[in-house]
Amino acid sequence: MSLHFKTVIQLAAGLANKEFSSVELTQHFLDRIATLDTQYNSFITVTPELALAQAKIADQRIAKGDTTVLTGIPIAQKDIFCTKDVKTTCGSKMLDNFIAPYNATVIEKFNAAGAIMLGKTNMDEFAMGSSNQTSYYGPVRNPWDPERVPGGSSGGAVAALAAGFAPLSTGTDTGGSIRQPAAYCNLTGLKPTYGVVSRFGMIAFASSLDQAGPLARTAEDCAIMLNCMAGFDERDSTSLEMPQTDYTAHLNDSLHGIKIGLPKEFFGNDADPAIMDLIHAVAKQYEKLGAELVEISLPNIGLSIPTYYVIAPAEASSNLARYDGVRYGYRCSNPKDLEDMYKRTRGEGFGAEVKRRIMIGTYVSSATHYDAFYLKAQKVRQLISQDYQVAFKQVDVILSPTVPNTAFKIGELMDDPIKMYLSDLYTAGTNLAGLPGLSAPAGFLKDLPVGFQLIGNYFSEAKLFNMAHQYQQHTTWHTQTPEAL
Ligand code: GLN
């Protein structure tokens, strides 16, 4: 198999056996990015000097035996994480000139492990979107079909993996932005329990929903990444104090007796039968591995999209108030006065989708509409969370498709935001409840990847990795790569 589609375990073995150095490995990926990424647009910024300097240090660490499994392994970082002395844009014109003065905790942790940052990946503006088409830096193309979107908002992160530009990527997920693009690009990705990964230095979209997580080719690689990313951080007030967990420790546990819930609301008549056939095949495979299938109900799950699209914009409108042209980021030229500066800076600096969210969010959280929309949405959020807790009394995990459809054509849903919002049908509920969710490859429909989702109770990440790893030990979907690459 070519070097650029190898897993971390394989690459770490190659480094340890001196088949290649980290400098050579890094150069290999940088060369591929330089020659091929003009076709996909997966990176906003590539950092070759920094990457090669880090790789040199990693090679010294390897020579001394002072390593972690990630030492010398290249990684693509989503451009939502602040990176010291490196441009950090969040996909927005508003931050096109922003050089972060410090590193996000996630970046610090990968640096400490000796991973190599190749650059910063493209994304929907402020992570708002399901297709990567709202980025100020232009759409990303799906390596499985360049006419199609890679999903979003972590679109560059997944395109970089699918095109063999990096073995690992970070993503963030507010309503589905790790899992939905993972499904569209035949990758594995996990949104952890809220609070497991520090949000310090991760540009805020909707603070009560945002979580960073791993994207990779296999569940095992994702578990390795989460080992590095997770942990208490006193600089994030929502970070959870919990004992250090080894997310790889249970990968090989038997699935005998595991109960998998199939929510009847997701397996009903509205679902696409071709996608559901693949999900039923996943369920069958789990049965073969010893799991038991149980029909369950999540009675309020149908309300998750309207609830999400009240709460997320409300939080976003507050978080994005900081971009005022005063402190950092874009400022309009020659403002007449202070008010003109605020208005034009925000009018010129934000794209259409971000403005739509700010307007919705300001409306639903305004004094006159707060009770009818925001407060109501918070109550429904509780009901949705309770549904999951009732379900987890009956079952260990919940199975569903990740997305109701496969990757759509670039341009297709741009004039129909409501339809675009429905991409999060299966994923947004877990963010509202703060639960972990994982997406992994389930097969192909007309040559386009389809993903399945596993949702677990709080802190069940190791169980989700175990289940996905066992599935991947018995199937080959996740090993497929785009023919042209
Ligand atoms: N598609 C959703 C949105 O546009 C989720 C985005 C995300 O998870 N960052 O809000």
Side-chain angles (χ1 to χ4, degrees):
M1 186 206 299
S2 30
L3 199 54
H4 40 271
F5 287 122
K6 285 192 192 296
T7 64
V8 168
I9 296 288
Q10 293 164 336
L11 293 175
L15 287 168
N17 300 334
K18 311 238 176 309
E19 284 164 39
F20 42 80
S21 67
S22 176
V23 167
E24 285 162 348
L25 184 63
T26 302
Q27 191 63 58
H28 176 75
F29 284 111
L30 290 172
D31 289 346
R32 276 183 72 78
I33 296 167
T35 48
L36 295 171
D37 199 33
T38 45
Q39 294 170 47
Y40 302 103
N41 197 25
S42 57
F43 282 87
I44 292 175
T45 305
V46 185
T47 50
E49 292 86 17
L50 174 69
L52 290 169
Q54 286 181 329
K56 241 187 218 153
I57 296 171
D59 280 332
Q60 288 161 6
R61 278 181 68 169
I62 293 168
K64 276 192 278 175
D66 163 30
T67 57
T68 74
V69 61
L70 291 173
T71 308
I73 306 285
I75 180 168
Q77 300 286 6
K78 185 172 178 177
D79 206 15
I80 197 167
F81 295 104
C82 286
T83 39
K84 190 169 164 29
D85 302 333
V86 175
K87 188 160 109 159
T88 299
T89 71
C90 218
S92 183
K93 177 179 177 184
M94 193 58 100
L95 291 175
D96 185 48
N97 63 1
F98 178 59
I99 310 279
Y102 61 90
N103 280 324
T105 298
V106 164
I107 301 288
E108 264 181 7
K109 282 177 174 278
F110 279 112
N111 282 349
I116 314 301
M117 184 173 92
L118 294 168
K120 310 287 297 288
T121 56
N122 204 341
M123 55 180 287
D124 278 303
E125 185 177 8
F126 287 104
M128 297 174 194
S130 304
S131 69
N132 216 114
Q133 293 177 97
T134 72
S135 170
Y136 174 62
Y137 302 91
V140 175
R141 293 181 177 274
N142 188 326
W144 288 91
D145 177 353
E147 302 280 288
R148 292 175 189 270
V149 304
S153 64
S154 311
V158 290
L161 287 174
F165 298 157
L168 302 176
S169 286
T170 49
T172 60
D173 191 312
T174 304
S177 279
I178 288 176
R179 293 160 286 163
Q180 185 250 19
Y184 280 3
C185 287
N186 205 43
L187 298 162
T188 305
L190 173 107
K191 179 205 96 71
T193 303
Y194 184 78
V196 163
V197 175
S198 167
R199 293 184 299 110
F200 178 77
M202 184 178 115
I203 295 173
F205 163 10
S207 309
S208 77
L209 302 160
D210 299 340
Q211 251 312 269
L215 279 158
R217 305 188 195 292
T218 64
E220 183 171 33
D221 280 2
C222 284
I224 290 170
M225 281 179 83
L226 192 61
N227 275 354
C228 177
M229 297 171 82
F232 175 66
D233 181 2
E234 60 182 14
R235 296 173 298 183
D236 171 3
S237 62
T238 59
S239 169
L240 293 167
E241 265 184 270
M242 40 179 248
Q244 181 90 30
T245 308
D246 178 0
Y247 294 100
T248 64
H250 295 282
L251 290 173
N252 292 311
D253 285 5
S254 154
L255 301 189
H256 204 84
I258 293 276
K259 289 199 172 121
I260 302 180
L262 310 182
K264 63 173 192 227
E265 291 78 7
F266 289 162
F267 283 76
N269 295 333
D270 298 343
D272 178 339
I275 297 225
M276 293 321 286
D277 282 350
L278 291 175
I279 305 306
H280 281 295
V282 173
K284 274 244 155 61
Q285 179 66 52
Y286 277 121
E287 257 185 329
K288 272 200 221 151
L289 295 173
E292 187 190 325
L293 306 179
V294 182
E295 189 188 88
I296 57 160
S297 176
L298 299 169
N300 295 293
I301 198 70
L303 298 171
S304 60
I305 292 291
T307 306
Y308 172 86
Y309 278 99
V310 169
I311 293 174
E315 293 183 13
S317 70
S318 164
N319 275 326
L320 270 55
R322 72 190 68 173
Y323 303 106
D324 55 7
V326 176
R327 282 159 286 202
Y328 58 94
Y330 179 76
R331 178 185 294 171
C332 69
S333 54
N334 306 319
K336 275 203 308 276
D337 52 30
L338 187 64
E339 201 175 311
D340 183 47
M341 186 191 74
Y342 287 149
K343 279 189 185 158
R344 282 206 290 120
T345 292
R346 290 170 67 80
E348 293 163 18
F350 290 132
E353 182 61 27
V354 172
K355 285 179 191 161
R356 183 181 292 131
R357 306 280 179 116
I358 292 174
M359 284 193 285
I360 296 172
T362 308
Y363 182 84
V364 298
S365 58
S366 64
T368 24
H369 301 292
Y370 182 91
D371 285 357
F373 292 102
Y374 186 72
L375 198 63
K376 176 80 70 53
Q378 290 292 12
K379 288 180 180 165
V380 179
R381 183 179 193 173
Q382 279 310 312
L383 295 177
I384 293 170
S385 300
Q386 284 164 18
D387 285 355
Y388 284 114
Q389 287 314 306
V390 171
F392 288 127
K393 290 213 168 77
Q394 292 168 262
V395 297
D396 300 293
V397 295
I398 296 170
L399 173 70
S400 77
T402 307
V403 201
N405 46 275
T406 50
F408 46 89
K409 289 246 167 81
I410 290 178
E412 210 172 292
L413 299 185
M414 280 314 268
D415 47 6
D416 191 349
I418 303 285
K419 210 159 171 201
M420 181 84 84
Y421 296 168
L422 287 174
S423 297
D424 307 315
L425 188 64
Y426 300 122
T427 48
T430 53
N431 299 73
L432 290 168
L435 294 167
L438 174 147
S439 179
F444 293 82
L445 207 60
K446 297 198 186 120
D447 294 333
L448 293 172
V450 171
F452 69 92
Q453 177 179 229
L454 294 170
I455 300 168
N457 210 344
Y458 302 110
F459 310 115
S460 65
E461 286 81 0
K463 166 71 37 207
L464 299 181
F465 287 137
N466 166 221
M467 291 201 57
H469 180 69
Q470 289 306 308
Y471 180 82
Q472 292 178 343
Q473 297 301 100
H474 294 88
T475 54
T476 54
W477 306 121
H478 65 288
T479 63
Q480 318 247 353
T481 52
E483 224 165 79
L485 290 147

